[in-house]
Amino acid sequence: MEDVPRASGALLAKERAVLESLVGRSTVASALERVPAPVREEYEGMTPLSRIPTDVVEQVYYAIAEEAGRDPLQLHREAVRIGVEQALKSIWRVLLRFTSDKAIVQRTPLFFARGLSRGELTAQLLGPGRAEIRLVGWQDVSVMQINGIAAAIEAVLLCAGRRGVLVDTDRTLDGARFDASWEV
């Protein structure tokens, strides 16, 4: 079996709907016409059970951003953040608000495991309003994937009612480090 990093079709379908709301359905459709046919077919054929190669997803994001005249990483971060917020808008959002910082940070790796097939997150609370999350086992993780993981961490903390959330990133030898902070 090939060892290609893949993203969840269920999450990507949500992101596509968010992208269409952000830049317009016609912009997304035009961008998809510009990507190579195999990329377009894989992306358009996704189902909630699909696992789409992350390089396919990235090609689509870059094409949509170019078509929309937007910065690709900013568009990606916005789409991921909104997608996670929408996914957590049910009872989970209410429950998160009553969850301790330590419990939220400890559960961060569970959210990650559902979205991407490569790497593993570890997380620890460093003190009030500070956490370190590490991505390990994905040495060649792309800037866009780091960007998306940071956006997802930010969205979970915001949905949990934390304010002033900032997530800084650094590439490491085996993946990336995410330093999250929020107001106490």
Side-chain angles (χ1 to χ4, degrees):
M1 182 177 176
E2 61 182 311
D3 188 29
V4 174
R6 295 177 178 276
S8 160
L11 293 177
L12 291 174
K14 285 182 169 100
E15 283 181 30
R16 180 175 178 165
V18 170
L19 283 167
E20 289 175 347
S21 74
L22 291 173
V23 301
R25 185 172 284 167
S26 63
T27 300
V28 171
S30 293
L32 286 171
E33 288 299 318
R34 294 179 22 194
V35 298
V39 169
R40 181 176 51 256
E41 291 163 7
E42 180 124 32
Y43 187 80
E44 289 183 332
M46 76 178 144
T47 70
L49 299 178
S50 298
R51 300 293 278 181
I52 306 297
T54 57
D55 67 322
V56 165
V57 178
E58 292 181 25
Q59 287 180 63
V60 169
Y61 262 100
Y62 281 105
I64 292 170
E66 185 177 335
E67 189 73 23
R70 300 268 315 261
D71 176 90
L73 294 177
Q74 287 178 349
L75 180 62
H76 180 243
R77 195 170 187 117
E78 186 176 0
V80 169
R81 184 185 50 76
I82 292 169
V84 170
E85 287 173 356
Q86 288 177 352
L88 294 175
K89 74 179 179 181
S90 65
I91 188 136
W92 287 109
R93 191 173 202 153
V94 174
L95 291 174
L96 281 173
R97 290 187 179 272
F98 297 104
T99 304
S100 71
D101 289 350
K102 183 177 181 180
I104 291 168
V105 170
Q106 287 176 336
R107 286 171 178 78
T108 302
L110 299 174
F111 290 111
F112 173 82
R114 301 182 85 156
L116 291 166
S117 68
R118 171 79 58 88
E120 181 180 330
L121 285 187
T122 60
Q124 65 177 351
L125 190 63
L126 299 176
R130 289 192 54 232
E132 179 184 81
I133 299 98
R134 286 192 170 265
L135 171 65
V136 296
W138 194 352
Q139 294 176 346
D140 57 347
V141 62
S142 72
V143 170
M144 185 168 277
Q145 294 309 312
I146 292 171
N147 183 65
I149 294 165
I153 293 167
E154 179 181 289
V156 169
L157 289 167
L158 289 169
C159 286
R162 298 335 183 248
R163 295 178 186 221
V165 175
L166 294 172
V167 179
D168 292 319
T169 64
D170 287 305
R171 183 177 296 282
T172 62
L173 292 176
D174 62 349
R177 185 180 77 233
F178 304 87
D179 292 314
S181 62
W182 57 93
E183 295 172 8
V184 180

